[in-house]
Amino acid sequence: MKSGFRTVSGKVAAILAVGMLLSACSTFQKESFTLTGVITDQGRECVTFRSDDGTLYALANKASRFRPGDKVRVTGHGALMTTCSEAETLIVDKIVLLGAAVK
C-alpha cells in the first residue's frame, strides 16, 4: 500500500516540478523590450521586422496594418511557441509607426 502512495506522490511532485519550470520559463520570456526598425516583405506566415541592429523578427500580432518599408518602434517579448517560422518571434505589446514607407 505504501509503494502505491509513493508512486502517486512521486508523480505529483514531478508534475509540480514541471509546472514550476514552465512558469519560470514563461516569466523569463515575458521580459519586455523595445526595438526600432523597418517592416520587411520577408514573411510568409507572419509580418517580419528588421531591427536597427540587423536582426530579423517575426511579429505575432498587432502588425498587420503595417507595410514593408514602414519604420516602426516595437515593444514586446519573445514567444515561447509560435506558428511563425521566418525568424525569432515577438509577441507585440505595442507598435508605433515612426515613418511610412515611401511609395
Side-chain angles (χ1 to χ4, degrees), residues 11-45:
K11 287 180 184 177
V12 170
I15 290 169
L16 289 173
V18 168
M20 288 190 304
L21 285 172
L22 289 175
S23 174
C25 187
S26 295
T27 301
F28 175 73
Q29 290 292 324
K30 290 189 179 180
E31 184 176 322
S32 187
F33 53 89
T34 301
L35 302 166
T36 57
V38 177
I39 300 294
T40 73
D41 61 357
Q42 295 174 279
R44 291 180 308 272
E45 298 168 1

Side-chain angles (χ1 to χ4, degrees), residues 33-40 42 48-59 70-74 87-88 90:
F33 53 89
T34 301
L35 302 166
T36 57
V38 177
I39 300 294
T40 73
Q42 295 174 279
T48 52
F49 161 81
R50 186 160 308 274
S51 67
D52 290 341
D53 72 1
T55 305
L56 183 68
Y57 295 94
L59 304 178
D70 286 350
K71 177 83 171 174
V72 295
R73 180 174 49 242
V74 177
E88 179 181 347
L90 299 180

